[in-house]
Amino acid sequence: MLVIAQEITKIYWRGQEKITALRGVSLQIAAGSFVFIVGPSGGGKSTLLHLLGGMDRPSSGQLFINGFSLEKASEDQLTRFRRENIGFVFQFYNLLSSLNALDNVTLPLLARGCRPKEARKLAADLLDQVGLTSRKRHKPAELSGGEQQRVAIARAVVGHPSLVIADEPTGDLDADNAKAVMQLMHDLNRSFGATFVVATHNEALTRIGDSVFELCNGELRAR
Amino acid sequence: MLLALRFSFRNMLHDRSRTLLSITGLSVVIASYFILSALAGAFSSYLNITTVSRNLIVIQNDLIDPSDATLEPQVIQAAQELIPGTISRISPIVFRHTRVGENVVQLRAVAEQDWEPVFHLVLLKGAWPTNDNEVVVGEGISLANAWEVGSVVQVFGCNFRVSGIFRSPGTAFASVWMPIHTFWSLFDTQHGYQAMFVQAAVGVDPETVRSRLQNDPRLANSYAVYFEDNYTHRNIQALKDFSSMMTIVSGIALLGIIFGIFNATTLSTIERSRELGIMLGIGFSHRTVRRFILIQFTLQGLLAYGVGMAAAWLYVVSQQALAPFFILGLPFSLKITPGMAASSLAWVVGLAFLGAWLSTRRLFNLRVVELLSDS
């Protein structure tokens, strides 16, 4: 199993108010699978993805990704873990506005210490693969929403992570673009062998998934 | 490092209007620093007076304006009695502050034979006066008024020909000198004097001379005896205080860089917090992200330094060429020296780095999710 979560709880404090975002979530995800997490807004999807991506730590419970225990890891260890194991895709693309598409995709490779020339070649190949050959030198503001999300997906997979986390990747796209982006991620899942965990509102898109989990009020159940 | 520099330039170009605004603001501060430092430096060299410490000045006590002083004959007599063993030479003097040309100058008159040995006047051009209608003028005031040998100047309603131009190393004030008899007839002062210069004999401690004169009953309580350099320095203390004040103000101006960079960095990191969160999420460490920011804003400080120094240099050069300063008739030369440029470069880099470092401290305490949810 790539992901093993046992009785994970996540509690936030908003001033004096205690918010329990996840309540005893247990989950196992096999390597190479394409998994959907569905559920209403505020149900805890993003919180779970942040934990799986090593961007946050659980309040209690155990979480192993690729054999690495996240709950007690230091900030430096989490950084190294993310660099070597995780790719992110966000709802609003989250590309760096000052960099063009090619430079955005090279970032994870540069963070790993890859030589710039080599990183640019790998990034250019991947942009070709996602259909953005002619848009490499364009900055995010010059790209459509669908194109930006394809750049973001290329950035997420360019370092060959074992786990790609996508938080509402089609939330800001029209139906056609949403379908195309989901298909692209599915294709990359098959060709790269990376595990994809995708949070979405759109139930219709979940048909291509290997498994679907529903997260509601911080409680997870398999469908 | 190359990656950080590339990021920095990309970010600066991306936010070019903000970058331009920050650099302009900082460069104004840096230009002010340079101009104030140049002024302080000019004052410092202006006040760097070398006097002959063997000279003493005898003048009436407790005067607000030394021009009001009078020197009684018995005081001259007291000094003359110490010649030759204790005092080698005495030189009574008269002076007035009066308008000559466009400047208020000190008009001085002493016996002509004392001008060089006692007052150390050095003739630069022309000759010492040989007629009653001739004067010599100081180098500074001649520059300020474009007077040359042969020019005619009006003093107290009478025309005088400039017979020579001199340099007076021991005197900071612009002055016009005339023979003592010319002064007496011009002002009808009936052979009176106002003060007296006394030169200690070779081998005699000037303090001994000062002490003997000061304790003479003919001087006691009414006259003070000073070393010439002490007296001169006492007179220029106000200018020295002004110079020190400018040095302090220029230092404060430089400290403004910390606040400018701190402000620019804080605004930028708040606005770009989501981007910083993405970089951390992708796998850059907090340390690396912080280094990118530090380099970007230190670079901005450096660019501002270049612009500020160029602006200050242009100002100094054009000011010197078009409208040079004269203070009390002496040329006041502003200079931006290599030493000043080097030390301020070190300060600017250090302070810009400190401003950015202080501003980015909070980055270390933020988790990736906090940065991503900040925007």
Side-chain angles (χ1 to χ4, degrees):
Chain A
M1 286 293 157
L2 181 81
V3 177
I4 301 171
Q6 291 172 343
E7 290 296 320
I8 289 177
T9 301
K10 182 65 187 178
I11 295 165
Y12 294 112
W13 289 92
R14 191 179 293 154
Q16 298 294 315
E17 188 189 358
K18 180 182 177 183
I19 297 165
T20 307
L22 296 176
R23 300 165 193 272
V25 168
S26 294
L27 172 72
Q28 293 198 349
I29 299 172
S33 58
F34 199 96
V35 175
F36 280 102
I37 310 238
V38 296
S41 291
K45 297 192 298 294
S46 294
T47 303
L48 179 60
L49 292 191
H50 288 153
L51 293 179
L52 294 181
M55 291 198 283
D56 208 353
R57 294 186 192 84
S59 304
S60 66
Q62 288 188 307
L63 179 58
F64 295 93
I65 312 280
N66 216 6
F68 180 78
S69 174
L70 267 71
E71 68 272 9
K72 285 175 188 160
S74 68
E75 203 57 51
D76 280 347
Q77 287 170 327
L78 282 178
T79 300
R80 207 173 310 123
F81 165 77
R82 287 194 301 271
R83 188 159 59 213
E84 291 165 3
N85 295 281
I86 305 292
F88 289 100
V89 182
F90 300 94
Q91 180 178 355
F92 297 108
Y93 331 126
N94 285 337
L95 302 175
L96 299 197
S97 55
S98 59
L99 304 181
N100 63 29
L102 184 65
D103 288 334
N104 264 289
V105 178
T106 59
L107 278 180
L109 299 170
L110 296 176
R112 289 179 178 197
C114 185
R115 293 161 69 89
K117 196 175 171 185
E118 191 186 340
R120 289 170 80 82
K121 188 184 176 314
L122 288 170
D125 289 347
L126 199 52
L127 283 171
D128 291 342
Q129 208 173 324
V130 300
L132 291 172
T133 306
S134 62
R135 313 290 278 167
K136 288 174 196 162
R137 305 284 172 187
H138 288 72
K139 290 199 172 167
E142 299 159 348
L143 300 171
S144 70
E147 286 172 330
Q148 287 190 58
Q149 199 58 298
R150 277 189 277 164
V151 175
I153 291 166
R155 185 181 67 187
V157 300
V158 72
H160 292 279
S162 47
L163 178 62
V164 176
I165 286 160
D167 190 2
E168 302 280 2
T170 58
D172 204 41
L173 300 176
D174 59 45
D176 288 343
N177 267 314
K179 202 172 169 188
V181 161
M182 202 56 83
Q183 191 57 52
L184 173 65
M185 286 200 291
H186 192 256
D187 293 346
L188 290 169
N189 163 250
R190 294 299 180 238
S191 58
F192 280 75
T195 306
F196 275 67
V197 179
V198 182
T200 184
H201 277 109
N202 193 337
E203 298 271 352
L205 297 171
T206 61
R207 263 177 259 135
I208 58 170
D210 298 320
S211 53
V212 179
F213 293 91
E214 185 175 4
L215 191 55
C216 193
N217 290 326
E219 291 176 359
L220 187 78
R221 62 184 171 84
R223 275 192 180 172
Chain B
M1 185 66 179
L2 277 175
L3 181 64
L5 282 172
R6 217 166 126 235
F7 265 119
S8 301
F9 280 114
R10 290 278 177 93
N11 280 329
M12 285 195 283
L13 283 174
H14 185 67
D15 293 329
R16 53 177 75 90
S17 54
R18 162 81 49 87
T19 304
L20 194 65
L21 205 63
S22 295
I23 289 176
T24 306
L26 289 172
S27 61
V28 168
V29 169
I30 292 166
S32 307
Y33 163 79
F34 270 115
I35 292 169
L36 283 170
S37 294
L39 273 169
F43 261 109
S44 178
S45 56
Y46 182 80
L47 300 175
N48 188 17
I49 293 161
T50 52
T51 52
V52 180
S53 62
R54 304 194 70 75
N55 276 1
L56 296 105
I57 300 171
V58 181
I59 193 164
Q60 259 186 314
N61 261 340
D62 305 326
L63 287 171
I64 293 172
D65 184 355
S67 299
D68 295 334
T70 55
L71 188 72
E72 292 168 57
Q74 69 266 26
V75 178
I76 300 172
Q77 179 64 35
Q80 276 173 334
E81 287 170 8
L82 298 175
I83 296 174
T86 309
I87 290 172
S88 64
R89 197 170 192 127
I90 63 168
S91 184
I93 184 170
V94 284
F95 50 87
R96 287 281 163 88
H97 285 115
T98 185
R99 181 171 287 279
V100 179
E102 293 298 313
N103 300 94
V104 173
V105 302
Q106 197 179 66
L107 181 66
R108 291 187 176 200
V110 289
E112 287 149 271
Q113 66 269 20
D114 292 340
W115 288 10
E116 289 175 277
V118 178
F119 298 95
H120 301 279
L121 302 192
V122 177
L123 195 64
L124 300 176
K125 287 182 192 171
W128 299 116
T130 50
N131 295 314
D132 285 348
N133 67 340
E134 287 184 334
V135 292
V136 285
V137 298
E139 166 185 33
I141 198 162
S142 75
L143 274 171
N145 292 283
W147 290 336
E148 288 296 334
V149 173
S151 298
V152 174
V153 297
Q154 197 172 61
V155 184
F156 207 58
C158 292
N159 287 335
F160 287 88
R161 179 183 171 275
V162 175
S163 69
I165 294 167
F166 66 87
R167 178 173 293 164
S168 53
T171 310
F173 304 104
S175 53
V176 172
W177 292 59
M178 59 176 49
I180 190 78
H181 290 284
T182 308
F183 186 95
W184 284 333
S185 55
L186 181 66
F187 292 98
D188 194 20
T189 51
Q190 316 209 336
H191 295 211
Y193 293 103
Q194 289 174 287
M196 176 171 63
F197 276 64
V198 173
Q199 206 163 55
V202 174
V204 176
D205 179 7
E207 175 54 33
T208 307
V209 180
R210 197 197 68 78
S211 174
R212 284 191 66 176
L213 280 174
Q214 191 66 78
N215 293 325
D216 191 295
R218 287 165 287 189
L219 276 74
N221 302 325
S222 300
Y223 290 86
V225 185
Y226 301 103
F227 290 110
E228 184 187 8
D229 50 356
N230 287 354
Y231 183 74
T232 312
H233 281 108
R234 194 187 69 165
N235 281 347
I236 61 174
Q237 190 55 48
L239 289 177
K240 274 193 167 173
D241 292 345
F242 189 56
S243 171
S244 305
M245 202 169 71
M246 273 192 296
T247 306
I248 291 166
V249 171
S250 67
I252 291 170
L254 210 55
L255 284 178
I257 290 170
I258 293 185
F259 301 106
I261 289 285
F262 182 90
N263 193 35
T265 312
T266 303
L267 274 176
S268 175
T269 49
I270 288 170
E271 280 182 2
R272 291 165 52 204
S273 60
R274 199 170 181 86
E275 291 199 353
L276 300 177
I278 294 164
M279 292 184 77
L280 292 170
I282 282 170
F284 286 102
S285 66
H286 281 79
R287 206 171 289 109
T288 306
V289 171
R290 193 181 191 193
R291 193 168 66 227
F292 289 168
I293 299 169
L294 289 176
I295 287 175
Q296 179 180 338
F297 286 93
T298 306
L299 264 178
Q300 282 197 19
L302 263 177
L303 289 171
Y305 168 83
V307 174
M309 191 179 73
W313 182 80
L314 272 176
Y315 169 78
V316 165
V317 168
S318 58
Q319 185 270 324
Q320 294 289 97
L322 303 173
F325 285 143
F326 289 91
I327 293 187
L328 296 169
L330 288 180
F332 195 71
S333 170
L334 297 183
K335 275 182 202 153
I336 293 175
T337 61
M340 197 190 289
S343 66
S344 55
L345 174 64
W347 276 108
V348 167
V349 170
L351 294 173
F353 185 86
L354 182 62
W357 184 83
L358 288 171
S359 168
T360 51
R361 272 185 317 165
R362 74 178 195 113
L363 262 181
F364 269 119
N365 302 321
L366 290 173
R367 287 170 299 143
V368 184
V369 280
E370 288 174 315
L371 283 162
L372 287 171
S373 61
D374 252 6
S375 55

